[in-house]
């Protein structure tokens, strides 16, 4: 999947420069354009950042969409405060995204939930289960 985004990023960047004659600094970030193209008009979940975590050290988290797990491919990702991890998933408009934490007391403790707005690129805040706060980037 990463190779596809890199290839699309280069193709979009070259195409924009050739058509407009502008510098790379003046264009919309090519990675965002490539992500939207690769998602076929759906919403691209870019990355997630742990702003604060609910436990000492790390939270073990995963994402669900409309009831099914969508990220990561393993059981969970262990995240420390301030850490950012790529998600790189395409989801439909108006998908309900839930951030779930796995721990000893409750194996599926929900940190937060958002409904994606399909027509905008924005950062969504997922919080406040257990005091944790995460930011999820979505590109449209």
């Amino acid at each position: 999947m990463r190779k596809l985004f890199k290839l699309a990023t280069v193709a979009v960047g070259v195409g924009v420069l050739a058509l407009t004659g502008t510098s790379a600094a003046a264009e919309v970030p090519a990675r965002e354009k490539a992500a939207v193209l690769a998602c076929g008009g759906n919403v691209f979940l870019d990355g997630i950042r742990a702003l604060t975590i609910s436990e000492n050290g790390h939270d073990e988290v995963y994402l669900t969409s409309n009831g099914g797990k969508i990220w990561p491919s393993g059981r969970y990702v262990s995240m420390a405060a301030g850490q950012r991890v790529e998600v790189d998933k395409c989801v439909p408009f108006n998908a309900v995204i839930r951030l779930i934490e796995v721990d000893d007391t409750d194996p599926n403790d929900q940190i937060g939930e958002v409904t994606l707005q399909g027509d905008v690129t924005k950062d969504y805040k997922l919080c406040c289960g257990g005091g944790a706060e995460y930011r999820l980037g979505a590109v449209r």
Side-chain angles (χ1 to χ4, degrees), residues 95-115:
V96 176
I97 306 294
R98 290 182 178 90
L99 180 64
I100 309 294
E101 181 194 17
V102 177
D103 61 27
D104 294 333
T105 58
D106 183 357
N108 297 300
D109 193 17
Q110 183 171 309
I111 292 176
E113 171 183 310
V114 296
T115 301

Side-chain angles (χ1 to χ4, degrees), residues 32-33 35-37 39-45 91 93 117-122 124 137-140:
E32 289 184 10
K33 287 182 181 182
V36 172
L37 291 173
C39 281
N42 287 323
V43 179
F44 176 73
L45 299 180
V91 294
F93 297 122
Q117 299 170 1
D119 59 343
V120 295
T121 295
K122 70 182 274 183
Y124 292 90
V139 180
R140 170 65 177 99

Side-chain angles (χ1 to χ4, degrees), residues 34-130:
V36 172
L37 291 173
C39 281
N42 287 323
V43 179
F44 176 73
L45 299 180
D46 183 26
I48 189 166
R49 181 177 301 277
L51 302 174
T52 59
I53 58 174
S54 64
E55 297 182 353
N56 292 329
H58 294 83
D59 282 344
E60 290 76 29
V61 297
Y62 63 93
L63 291 172
T64 66
S65 175
N66 300 327
K69 183 175 171 247
I70 60 167
W71 174 87
S73 58
R75 185 169 174 227
Y76 58 78
V77 169
S78 183
M79 294 188 69
Q83 182 179 0
R84 183 184 184 282
V85 178
E86 296 294 329
V87 174
D88 294 347
K89 292 289 178 185
C90 298
V91 294
F93 297 122
N94 299 317
V96 176
I97 306 294
R98 290 182 178 90
L99 180 64
I100 309 294
E101 181 194 17
V102 177
D103 61 27
D104 294 333
T105 58
D106 183 357
N108 297 300
D109 193 17
Q110 183 171 309
I111 292 176
E113 171 183 310
V114 296
T115 301
L116 300 178
Q117 299 170 1
D119 59 343
V120 295
T121 295
K122 70 182 274 183
D123 288 335
Y124 292 90
K125 184 189 286 187
L126 293 154
C127 77
C128 296

